[in-house]
C-alpha cells in the first residue's frame, strides 16, 4: 500500500515545470507485452492463498438474481484481500449475484467463474458518491460496480484539480474467470438526460470497472456487459494487462476500454462491440488533467476484434500527454476509422511517438487526425495540444466515407506524420481534407495531403 500525501503532491507540482506527463508509480518502461499482476502469471494462481467462496457460510451469498449480495461479496473481499500470501474471492458457476459497488483490495484475485454472473443492482443508492476521476476530470461521481483505489482523506481547502490528500493504492489485482459482469446500466443512460433522477449529472454515472491506482492489474477472460458509462476504466495504474475479454455495450457514451493516465499497458485478443469508442487512450481533461499531469505511456494494442463502434481513439482527453503507443495486427469491421486521433484547444498536452501498422478491414474513414475536434477559440500555449511523430504503415482498408482527414491548428501543426505502404480503396477512395498537417509518404494509394 502506498499513501499519496500532500507533501508528495507538492513535490509533483514542483516538477510540472520540468516534465510533460509523469508516471503514476515508478517512471520505468516495462518490456512489452507487460505481464500484469503477479497473481495472474500462472493460470492456476487463483488457487494460491486463502479462498473465499461467496456462497459459503459466513458470507452466504444467494446468487438467485434477486437477493442483494453486496455485503456477502464485500465481506469476502475484505477477508481475502491485503494478505501477504494472497487470496481469491470466488463467485461460483450457476449463480447470478446482484450487487452494488464493491471495493477491491491488494494481492487479490476476483474470480467470476464461467457460468456465473455478477449483476449491478438497480438501486441507485447502492452506488454511492465517491471522489474519483470521471470523464477524465477529478470529481465526485457514483462508484463503479468494481472499484480499485480510493481517497482516504480530502484536502482542506480544496485546490480544484486533485482534492484528495491521501490515496489508498492497490497492488497485484486480477479479475478473471470466464464469467459475466453485467452492469445492468441501461436505466442510467436512458434516464440521465442530462440529469439523473437522484439529482446527479449524466457524467457522474458509474463505470463498470473504475480501477484507480493499481500497480499490477490483470483483467482477462471476462464477458463485460451493459455498463452505465464507460466499461473498463483503469486510471493512474501501471503494469496493466487486459486480454481475452468480450466487451458489449449499447448505451450512449459506453466506451469499451479507457486506459486513463496509465503506464505500461498491454491490450490483446479482446473483442469489442460498442456504441462509442471501442478503446480510447486518455490522459486527463483540460486544466484538471494538466495539473494532475500524469501521462499514458508505453501501450501495445494488438490482435483485437472490433465489430461495432468508433474503433481505437487517442484522445480527445490528451492533457497529461499520450506517448509511446503501438497499434497493430488488427482487422476492423464496421467501425469509424483505422487512425482516430482527436484533441482541441483547451485540452493541452498531446500525443507523440504513435505507430499504426498491419491493419486491414472496412471502415468509414481510413485516417482521422483532428486537433480541432470541437471548435474553440485560440488559447495559451499550455492549453494548446500537440500531435507529432506519427507512423502509419502497412495498411489496406476499404473506406466508405473518406481517405484522410488531417486537421491541425494554425499555431500547432500536426507534424512529422509518416505514411508508408498504405492503400485505401472503395467508393470514397479520393475524398480528403487536410489543413495544417505535415505528411511524409511513400507507396500510398491514393496520394495523401501533398502540402501542409
Amino acid at each position: 500500500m502506498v499513501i499519496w500525501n500532500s507533501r508528495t503532491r507538492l513535490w509533483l507540482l514542483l516538477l510540472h515545470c520540468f516534465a510533460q506527463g509523469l508516471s503514476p508509480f515508478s517512471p520505468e518502461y516495462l518490456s512489452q507485452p507487460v505481464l500484469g499482476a503477479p497473481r495472474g502469471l500462472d493460470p492456476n494462481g487463483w488457487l494460491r492463498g486463502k479462498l473465499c467462496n461467496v456462497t459459503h457460510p459466513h458470507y452466504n451469498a444467494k446468487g438467485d438474481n434477486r437477493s442483494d449480495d453486496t455485503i456477502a461479496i464485500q465481506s469476502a473481499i475484505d477477508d481475502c484481500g491485503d494478505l501477504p500470501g494472497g487470496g481469491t474471492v470466488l463467485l461460483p458457476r450457476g449463480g447470478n449475484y446482484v450487487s452494488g459497488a464493491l471495493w477491491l483490495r491488494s494481492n487479490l484475485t476476483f474470480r467470476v467463474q464461467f457460468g456465473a454472473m455478477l449483476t449491478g443492482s438497480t438501486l441507485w443508492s447502492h452506488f454511492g458518491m465517491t471522489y474519483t476521476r470521471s470523464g477524465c476530470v477529478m470529481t465526485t461521481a457514483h462508484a463503479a460496480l468494481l472499484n480499485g483505489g480510493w481517497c482516504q482523506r480530502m484536502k482542506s481547502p480544496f485546490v480544484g484539480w486533485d482534492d484528495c490528500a491521501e490515496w489508498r493504492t492497490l497492488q497485484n489485482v486480477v479479475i478473471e474467470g470466464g464469467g459475466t459482469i453485467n452492469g445492468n446500466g441501461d436505466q442510467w443512460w436512458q434516464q440521465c438526460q442530462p440529469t439523473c433522477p437522484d439529482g446527479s449529472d449524466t457524467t457522474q454515472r458509474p463505470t463498470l470497472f473504475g480501477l484507480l491506482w493499481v500497480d499490477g492489474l490483470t483483467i482477462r477472460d471476462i464477458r463485460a456487459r451493459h455498463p452505465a458509462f464507460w466499461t473498463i476504466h483503469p486510471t493512474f495504474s501501471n503494469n496493466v494487462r487486459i486480454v481475452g475479454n468480450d466487451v458489449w455495450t449499447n448505451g450512449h457514451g459506453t466506451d469499451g476500454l479507457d486506459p486513463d493516465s496509465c503506464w505500461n499497458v498491454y491490450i490483446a485478443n479482446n473483442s469489442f462491440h460498442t456504441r462509442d469508442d471501442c478503446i480510447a487512450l486518455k490522459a486527463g481533461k483540460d486544466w484538471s488533467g494538466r495539473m494532475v499531469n500524469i501521462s499514458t505511456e508505453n501501450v501495445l494494442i494488438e490482435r483485437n476484434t472490433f465489430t461495432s463502434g468508433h474503433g481505437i481513439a487517442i484522445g480527445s482527453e490528451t492533457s497529461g500527454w499520450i506517448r509511446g503507443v503501438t497499434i497493430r495486427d488488427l482487422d476492423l469491421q464496421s467501425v469509424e476509422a483505422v487512425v482516430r486521433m482527436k484533441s482541441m484547444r483547451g485540452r493541452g498536452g498531446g500525443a507523440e511517438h504513435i505507430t499504426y501498422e498491419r491493419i486491414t478491414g472496412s471502415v468509414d474513414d481510413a485516417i482521422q487526425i483532428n486537433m480541432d475536434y470541437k471548435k474553440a477559440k485560440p488559447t495559451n500555449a499550455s492549453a494548446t495540444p500537440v500531435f507529432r511523430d506519427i507512423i502509419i504503415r502497412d495498411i489496406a482498408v476499404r473506406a466508405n466515407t473518406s481517405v484522410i482527414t488531417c486537421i491541425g491548428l494554425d499555431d500547432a501543426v500536426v507534424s512529422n506524420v509518416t505514411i508508408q505502404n498504405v492503400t485505401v480503396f472503395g467508393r470514397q477512395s479520393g475524398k480528403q481534407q487536410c489543413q495544417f498537417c505535415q505528411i511524409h509518404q511513400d507507396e500510398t494509394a491514393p496520394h495523401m495531403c501533398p502540402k501542409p
Side-chain angles (χ1 to χ4, degrees):
M1 181 187 75
V2 178
I3 298 296
W4 288 85
N5 56 33
S6 298
R7 180 175 295 178
T8 303
R9 284 296 179 191
L10 178 60
W11 177 77
L12 291 178
L13 181 59
L14 293 174
L15 284 176
H16 279 214
C17 297
F18 307 101
Q20 294 179 328
L22 303 173
S23 167
F25 291 92
S26 172
E28 174 187 6
Y29 272 24
L30 303 178
S31 298
Q32 289 282 10
V34 301
L35 300 179
R39 281 188 66 80
L41 297 180
D42 181 349
N44 293 318
W46 67 278
L47 296 171
R48 297 194 179 98
K50 185 175 181 179
L51 179 63
C52 297
N53 185 323
V54 300
T55 65
H56 284 183
H58 179 62
Y59 310 121
N60 295 315
K62 302 300 183 186
D64 58 8
N65 196 28
R66 295 187 304 275
S67 303
D68 178 11
D69 288 328
T70 308
I71 293 176
I73 300 171
Q74 187 64 59
S75 296
I77 292 171
D78 295 343
D79 283 353
C80 265
D82 294 336
L83 301 177
T88 295
V89 172
L90 179 66
L91 279 63
R93 67 185 63 195
N96 188 337
Y97 306 90
V98 177
S99 179
L102 298 168
W103 296 86
L104 301 177
R105 291 185 176 272
S106 294
N107 298 333
L108 182 74
T109 300
F110 188 84
R111 184 174 176 86
V112 184
Q113 284 193 315
F114 178 79
M117 180 180 292
L118 175 66
T119 299
S121 170
T122 58
L123 297 178
W124 293 31
S125 60
H126 285 181
F127 300 89
M129 303 298 282
T130 187
Y131 191 71
T132 185
R133 182 181 258 186
S134 181
C136 291
V137 174
M138 302 307 298
T139 186
T140 56
H142 288 280
L145 181 56
L146 288 182
N147 298 271
W150 59 90
C151 183
Q152 297 190 131
R153 182 171 60 88
M154 297 292 287
K155 293 175 181 175
S156 180
F158 290 166
V159 297
W161 48 277
D162 182 357
D163 291 323
C164 182
E166 292 184 0
W167 285 100
R168 168 69 180 263
T169 70
L170 304 185
Q171 300 173 347
N172 194 16
V173 176
V174 179
I175 303 169
E176 65 171 18
T180 300
I181 299 180
N182 181 353
N184 206 11
D186 293 4
Q187 61 170 341
W188 289 85
W189 53 263
Q190 288 172 350
Q191 297 182 44
C192 297
Q193 301 293 336
T195 303
C196 305
D198 68 347
S200 61
D201 186 83
T202 184
T203 61
Q204 296 174 302
R205 291 172 289 164
T207 58
L208 192 64
F209 298 0
L211 302 169
L212 277 71
W213 295 110
V214 184
D215 190 7
L217 171 65
T218 296
I219 304 172
R220 64 185 177 199
D221 303 330
I222 289 293
R223 299 171 75 246
R225 297 289 187 269
H226 295 283
F229 195 18
W230 295 349
T231 309
I232 303 172
H233 185 206
T235 306
F236 308 139
S237 293
N238 177 58
N239 189 15
V240 178
R241 183 179 179 90
I242 301 175
V243 295
N245 302 285
D246 180 43
V247 178
W248 191 97
T249 81
N250 67 333
H252 173 68
T254 52
D255 290 4
L257 170 59
D258 297 85
D260 184 3
S261 294
C262 292
W263 277 45
N264 301 308
V265 180
Y266 181 61
I267 303 167
N269 301 314
N270 304 282
S271 61
F272 295 92
H273 177 109
T274 77
R275 285 275 302 275
D276 210 300
D277 290 329
C278 299
I279 300 172
L281 303 182
K282 302 177 181 293
K285 181 178 178 181
D286 298 344
W287 179 80
S288 170
R290 295 194 301 275
M291 291 300 292
V292 171
N293 192 33
I294 297 179
S295 55
T296 289
E297 301 200 25
N298 190 26
V299 180
L300 175 58
I301 302 172
E302 62 179 358
R303 298 191 305 274
N304 297 279
T305 301
F306 306 86
T307 57
S308 178
H310 296 170
I312 301 173
I314 294 179
S316 68
E317 297 85 350
T318 59
S319 303
W321 281 89
I322 300 168
R323 59 170 63 92
V325 178
T326 297
I327 300 169
R328 69 189 186 192
D329 299 323
L330 306 176
D331 182 58
L332 305 175
Q333 299 297 331
S334 302
V335 300
E336 186 167 330
V338 175
V339 176
R340 180 171 160 82
M341 298 179 61
K342 51 185 180 176
S343 192
M344 60 178 286
R345 287 187 168 101
R347 293 283 193 264
E352 63 183 356
H353 307 308
I354 312 296
T355 299
Y356 298 82
E357 59 187 358
R358 301 193 298 270
I359 300 174
T360 59
S362 177
V363 298
D364 293 336
D365 305 322
I367 298 171
Q368 294 180 1
I369 303 174
N370 193 347
M371 294 177 64
D372 203 17
Y373 172 64
K374 293 183 179 179
K375 301 293 183 181
K377 294 180 180 179
T379 183
N380 60 65
S382 67
T384 302
V386 174
F387 281 175
R388 62 193 176 205
D389 301 333
I390 302 163
I391 297 173
I392 305 166
R393 63 190 176 201
D394 302 331
I395 310 289
V397 295
R398 175 180 294 277
N400 299 316
T401 303
S402 72
V403 174
I404 184 170
T405 299
C406 188
I407 305 297
L409 304 172
D410 57 2
D411 52 347
V413 173
V414 179
S415 64
N416 198 24
V417 179
T418 299
I419 302 178
Q420 188 173 41
N421 189 28
V422 173
T423 301
V424 182
F425 52 94
R427 287 184 307 150
Q428 302 296 331
S429 60
K431 187 175 180 181
Q432 304 185 23
Q433 182 182 8
C434 306
Q435 184 177 6
F436 304 116
C437 185
Q438 181 189 80
I439 289 180
H440 314 280
Q441 56 191 306
D442 183 38
E443 299 182 32
T444 64
H447 197 68
M448 301 182 193
C449 299
K451 297 291 183 181

